[in-house]
Structure formats: structure tokens, C-alpha cells
Amino acid sequence: MLTEKFHDVLNHEGVVSVVTWTPEEPHITNTWNSYLTVTDDERILIPAAGFTHAEKDLAQNDQVLFTVGAREVEGRDGYQGTGFRLTGTAKFIDNGAEFEQVKAKYPFIRKVLEITPTSAKQLL
């Protein structure tokens, strides 16, 4: 599901937006492309120092929207830049091998946000 073009985007810096929501309101949290780790089974691991509002939302609703982009990667029809919108489910992990792997790289984290994509669409 995660194409070569998606992985190319992650090789360049850009803003990542993670949207969570409850019946009360939606919430957006941002991070950087360079913080993302894609596992062999295409889950996305994000170091979380904050993300406390998202954590509260995910306790009620595990659905997420996720965007990522980079101007340096050519999009469709020669467009300068491209991005992706993903949908999926998410949860926070605070132990285990993958948590330790991310924590070793980013010692400032308290948890790891694990996103399991169910769809991915190139936007540009």
C-alpha cells in the first residue's frame, strides 16, 4: 500500500499532520517526516513526547487521518512536490522491542504512536 513515492517523501523533511477526533472535536498534532519509521508490515511508528490530546482521543476512537508531504519529490504531471493522505487506526505503545528501538533513536519520548494504515492516496 505504501508506494515507492511515499517512501521518497519520507526521505525529505516536511510536516506530518495526525488528526484524531471525538464527538466533541477534532484535533491535529504535527511532527516531522524524519521522525517516522515504517515497519516491514507497513505500520508507521512516530516518537511521541507530547501527543497527550491525541492519546485521549484515541482512547475513545482509534481512527486517524494522517498527511505527509515534501516539496522536493515530484508529484503528478511534473508538479513540484507531492503528498499523501492516509487513513487507519492508531494506538500508543510504551514497551516492547519497537518502543525500545524508537526510544534509542529519540530518548526524549514517553510513548510511540503506532499507525496501521488502511488506505493511502497520493494527493498531488
Side-chain angles (χ1 to χ4, degrees), residues 31-83:
T31 191
W32 300 106
N33 291 3
S34 59
Y35 283 179
L36 275 56
T37 300
V38 179
T39 65
D40 290 341
D41 61 353
E42 295 193 328
R43 288 173 297 117
I44 299 166
L45 306 177
I46 302 174
F51 280 85
T52 56
H53 198 291
E55 186 172 17
K56 289 176 188 173
D57 287 354
L58 291 172
Q60 296 181 52
N61 173 20
D62 70 351
Q63 302 296 303
V64 293
L65 293 173
F66 172 91
T67 62
V68 59
R71 186 166 179 80
E72 295 82 5
V73 179
E74 184 176 314
R76 294 191 183 107
D77 301 321
Y79 190 84
Q80 180 60 47
T82 194

Side-chain angles (χ1 to χ4, degrees), residues 82-104:
T82 194
F84 288 83
R85 180 182 65 230
L86 288 77
T87 60
T89 58
K91 65 181 181 181
F92 282 89
I93 57 175
D94 60 6
N95 60 59
E98 289 178 334
F99 172 78
E100 295 301 330
Q101 173 191 10
V102 176
K103 177 100 172 146

